[in-house]
Amino acid sequence: MGNELFYDKKTGWDRMRADDRRAMHSYAEGYKEFLNEGKTERDAVNYLKAKAESCGYKPYTRGMSVKPGDKYYKLNRNKAIILTVIGEQPLSAGINLTAAHLDAPRIDIRMVPLYEDNGMAFFKTHYYGGIKKYQWPTVPLELRGVVCHVTDDGIESIPVRIGDKPDDPLFIISDLLIHLATDQMQKSMMKGISAEKMNILVGSEPSQTDDDTSDKIKLAVMEYLHQAYGITEEDFLSAELSCVPAFPARDIGFDRSFVGSYGHDDRVCAYPAATALLDLEGIPSKTAMTVLVDKEEIGSDGVTGMQSRFFDTMVADLCRAQDVIPEECLENSTCLSADVCNAYDPNYPEVSEKRNDARANCGLALVKYTGSRGKSGSSDATAELMAKIRYLFQKNNIIWQTGQLGKVDQGGGGTVAMFMANRNIDTVDAGVPVLSMHAPYEVIAKLDLYAAYRGFGVFYGME
Ligand code: MN
Ligand code: MN
């Protein structure tokens, strides 16, 4: 016996054979493509919808048949998506469900954004999600989103996407030069950059139009937007435009073991949750489902967030088609709340508790509870559920570990887990550890991404 009595968090590398390593790198290539395409929840939904359709998934509408092997997807206002494969057992046996989010911290454009000031044109912004504001100036930004143009004949949605093609222009928030930053450098990191200074530079060449406006540069920007998209300044009132970091996802390190990208939180869980479902072979015993939502970064509220009745309505529709009571389905369901956790960072050991924080390359991290202070805002999974998933992963040789969000009383955070658990669904967080979470460029380990893909796959097949 001896050491066998001890639990030791082990690196996953010892368990990765040569073919596992190859599969891991090749899986990460698809993930990087998804990251570059899906930089907003709308773009991510579009990408996954197309991928689902290519795998034989059909859009679900109320009243359709719900029989074993049926594959459906359902969109929520183009900002959230449910994918599901109907299982052999009736829905009263419950669903094996993953829940992840597609939104990520970013810089949103205000409703009346455009102005001219001292020879330059800018957009006013409003940051979305929890960011360290000082990280965002001087970072190249792309513009993505949709403008809903109102005409005499009705409404037209115009997608906007500028900055991801090699010869596209980019956008930027300026920062003070160090030479004049004596006062700024005395400020706390919280106050060094104020939200009202996070204005995006969008132009400086005045319009050639013979017009008596004094805002010639603003006019030139509107002329460009009118020509390219047919929109007027008033159309910003019904637009959702965001600036997101323009860096593409890239391998990090000599050994290419990491991926650096904008938006790993939470696409590094959404992507394996979706692809493990799409790649599922045969008909699962229980219905398998992934729900990929919006608004997690601002509290999961709203019509496209996890607290929306969208999910409940979809489950109820499926249940009704099988004459099952939705409440019975939910009480027998199990949910992996697929969201990222912090990866232990050797540069900042003081905020972590190294026995309990997740580590890069130790696999998919099960997090029994999140929250802050005395576990406030957490659903705290039961011992029985932890054991059930532990048994499943052990039996299927999944590389996994446990995690927690740093030292107690150091900070905290939450996921969608509690909103699933509140629905009477057995729920535990399971996700990929991330370095520099919520920064414009975050880092994850490919081993953990691949472990998540494999882990979600065996979970969907759980009896
Ligand atoms: Mn997250
Ligand atoms: Mn987050």
Side-chain angles (χ1 to χ4, degrees), residues 101 265-266 296-297 339-340 414-415 438:
H101 66 93
D265 175 9
D266 181 31
E296 193 278 340
E297 295 297 356
D339 205 346
V340 297
T415 65
H438 286 204

Side-chain angles (χ1 to χ4, degrees), residues 241-386:
L241 294 170
S242 304
C243 271
V244 292
F247 321 111
R250 295 285 291 266
D251 290 348
I252 299 280
F254 295 115
D255 57 6
R256 299 175 175 268
S257 58
F258 294 103
V259 176
S261 175
Y262 164 65
H264 282 311
D265 175 9
D266 181 31
R267 291 164 198 140
V268 73
C269 297
Y271 183 76
T275 52
L277 189 68
L278 298 179
D279 292 348
L280 211 56
E281 281 169 20
I283 301 173
S285 170
K286 289 185 179 177
T287 293
M289 181 184 284
T290 186
V291 46
L292 307 173
V293 294
D294 178 29
K295 296 286 177 278
E296 193 278 340
E297 295 297 356
I298 58 169
S300 298
D301 290 302
V303 76
T304 54
M306 195 63 246
Q307 297 195 70
S308 156
R309 300 280 298 169
F310 163 68
F311 165 75
D312 311 78
T313 304
M314 174 67 171
V315 169
D317 282 344
L318 296 175
C319 286
R320 234 173 266 125
Q322 287 193 352
D323 253 334
V324 164
I325 303 162
E327 288 82 352
E328 188 182 358
C329 172
L330 294 178
E331 82 182 352
N332 290 322
S333 295
T334 310
C335 177
L336 295 184
S337 163
D339 205 346
V340 297
C341 59
N342 60 308
Y344 177 86
D345 187 338
N347 293 308
Y348 298 94
E350 63 276 13
V351 301
S352 294
E353 193 270 282
K354 66 180 179 193
R355 278 173 213 84
N356 281 285
D357 280 29
R359 286 171 174 264
N361 292 310
C362 291
L364 177 60
L366 284 191
V367 179
K368 186 176 187 293
Y369 49 84
T370 57
S372 37
R373 302 179 305 279
K375 300 191 181 181
S376 180
S378 166
S379 54
D380 205 348
T382 62
E384 289 82 353
L385 177 60
M386 290 297 288

Side-chain angles (χ1 to χ4, degrees), residues 136-150:
W136 292 74
T138 72
V139 163
L141 300 168
E142 306 175 16
L143 183 66
R144 291 197 184 197
V146 64
V147 179
C148 294
H149 179 50
V150 178

